[in-house]
Amino acid sequence: MKRAVFYASRLISAQKETEFSGSDYNGIRKVYTIWLCMRAPEHEGSSITSYTLHEKQLFGHHVEMKEHYDLINITLIYLGNHRTGDSLIELLRLVFRSNAKVMVKKERLAKQYDLNLTDDMAEEMNTMCNLSEGIFEDGVKQGVKQGMKQGLERGAKETKEKMMQAFQMLKRKVSVSEIVKKTGLAEDDVRQMKLLL
């Protein structure tokens, strides 16, 4: 949600010197952003939610014209795993979530939604679907890579701490077997550390 607000705000500010110049803010045009989220939270399922700016009178009677403040519209569309009664959600699930082949999707779009795609449009749909799958797979790979890096860093830190603990124990003349038991370090490693003292 915060990302959507951030990008909608950037679209507003990017209008300076294109839609309006200087401080002539009357030239600002309304921004609409639609976010298609492929994976809805399992406990919530599919949904369509719109966010806009509203006026709220706190004191007095001043009323601003709506077109002066109603400049951002953010719509989030979450596509869940289960069928719904909403035709837009089902159309989007067919296009983006279905594992059906492009030709099957094309036939279902024509039959169920009266949408007759040209071959070029079907090819674009295929490209979009493959792109979304690629983005998801890239996200998974990046998450795994980051998790492995954090795990290695955490493991290295823990090992370093255990080695420091072992050195302190060796200085106090604690036996190798006791150090192995308390730190979990390999016996050979502790013996090598003992030789360094």
Side-chain angles (χ1 to χ4, degrees):
M1 186 65 234
K2 288 184 176 180
R3 179 184 293 189
V5 172
F6 174 77
Y7 281 107
S9 300
R10 285 185 62 179
L11 290 171
I12 290 284
S13 65
Q15 294 180 36
K16 187 168 174 61
E17 307 308 330
T18 57
E19 298 299 325
F20 71 96
S21 297
S23 58
D24 182 22
Y25 296 103
N26 288 326
I28 295 176
R29 300 175 71 179
K30 186 170 183 174
V31 168
Y32 294 86
T33 65
I34 300 173
W35 296 74
L36 186 58
C37 307
M38 299 300 175
R39 305 269 186 258
E42 192 60 41
H43 64 282
E44 293 179 12
S46 299
S47 65
I48 303 173
T49 309
S50 182
Y51 301 87
T52 58
L53 295 175
H54 296 281
E55 183 176 65
K56 181 178 179 182
Q57 295 290 330
L58 300 177
F59 178 79
H61 303 288
H62 176 77
V63 176
E64 189 64 54
M65 292 173 56
K66 188 174 181 178
E67 60 264 23
H68 289 172
Y69 62 84
D70 184 27
L71 296 172
I72 292 178
N73 181 291
I74 299 168
T75 302
L76 297 180
I77 303 173
Y78 283 97
L79 301 180
N81 295 323
H82 306 292
R83 295 182 64 80
T84 68
D86 186 86
S87 58
L88 176 60
I89 291 283
E90 291 309 313
L91 175 114
L92 293 171
R93 285 182 73 245
L94 170 61
V95 172
F96 292 104
R97 295 289 309 271
S98 171
N99 292 328
K101 301 284 185 203
V102 175
M103 293 313 295
V104 173
K105 289 182 182 183
K106 186 177 173 183
E107 289 170 11
R108 286 180 60 192
L109 287 170
K111 185 177 178 183
Q112 292 175 259
Y113 299 97
D114 201 26
L115 292 173
N116 296 306
L117 302 183
T118 65
D119 289 339
D120 287 343
M121 292 166 71
E123 185 59 37
E124 287 294 324
M125 180 177 67
N126 187 41
T127 301
M128 281 193 313
C129 294
N130 289 339
L131 176 63
S132 67
E133 287 173 15
I135 290 169
F136 177 72
E137 288 170 9
D138 287 349
V140 169
K141 287 178 188 172
Q142 182 64 29
V144 168
K145 185 177 177 183
Q146 185 175 354
M148 288 175 64
K149 180 181 175 197
Q150 289 174 345
L152 289 172
E153 288 172 355
R154 191 177 303 122
K157 182 180 177 188
E158 289 173 5
T159 300
K160 182 179 175 184
E161 289 171 357
K162 288 179 181 179
M163 289 177 73
M164 294 302 291
Q165 181 184 5
F167 268 121
Q168 294 301 321
M169 293 170 79
L170 285 168
K171 286 180 184 177
R172 293 194 316 264
K173 308 289 186 208
V174 177
S175 70
V176 171
S177 61
E178 187 65 25
I179 294 171
V180 168
K181 195 184 298 182
K182 289 199 178 210
T183 63
L185 293 171
E187 186 176 332
D188 288 344
D189 292 341
V190 176
R191 291 192 185 284
Q192 289 294 321
M193 292 167 67
K194 188 175 183 179
L195 294 174
L196 296 172
L197 290 177

